[in-house]
């Protein structure tokens, strides 16, 4: 998800880095899946937000 990386804010990048570090300390497979799901969710939200802002800008330019 290279596009997701470009869309993320600095805060989101820091959170993902922390989640990746926590994955190294995970005790169970369930913990690993949780961290992976959270990272994926953050990236998806970044892409959605980026798409929304692009659509908003296009609409504003048309007005």
């Amino acid at each position: 998800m290279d596009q997701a990386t470009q869309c993320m804010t600095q805060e989101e990048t820091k959170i993902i880095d922390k989640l990746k570090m926590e994955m190294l300390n995970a005790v169970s497979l369930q913990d690993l899946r949780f961290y992976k799901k959270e990272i994926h969710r953050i990236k998806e939200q970044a892409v959605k937000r980026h798409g929304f802002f692009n659509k908003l800008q296009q609409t504003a330019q048309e007005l």
Side-chain angles (χ1 to χ4, degrees), residues 2-17:
D2 190 55
Q3 179 188 5
T5 305
Q6 294 174 351
C7 298
M8 290 189 309
T9 63
Q10 289 180 350
E11 291 83 12
E12 289 169 331
T13 305
K14 288 179 184 177
I15 291 170
I16 287 179
D17 289 342

Side-chain angles (χ1 to χ4, degrees), residues 17-27 32 35:
D17 289 342
K18 287 181 184 179
L19 288 171
K20 286 180 180 178
M21 291 303 294
E22 287 297 320
M23 286 178 79
L24 298 174
N25 299 325
V27 177
L32 283 174
Y35 293 129

Side-chain angles (χ1 to χ4, degrees), residues 3 6-7 45-55:
Q3 179 188 5
Q6 294 174 351
C7 298
Q45 289 174 353
V47 170
K48 283 183 182 180
R49 183 183 64 244
H50 185 71
F52 173 75
F53 285 141
N54 282 344
K55 187 175 180 180

Side-chain angles (χ1 to χ4, degrees), residues 1-2 4-5 8 12-13 22-24 30 33-34 36-38 41 44 57 59-60:
M1 284 190 142
D2 190 55
T5 305
M8 290 189 309
E12 289 169 331
T13 305
E22 287 297 320
M23 286 178 79
L24 298 174
Q30 184 178 5
R33 287 182 180 149
F34 170 78
K36 186 174 180 180
K37 188 167 59 171
E38 288 298 311
R41 187 180 312 164
E44 281 182 338
Q57 285 179 338
T59 305

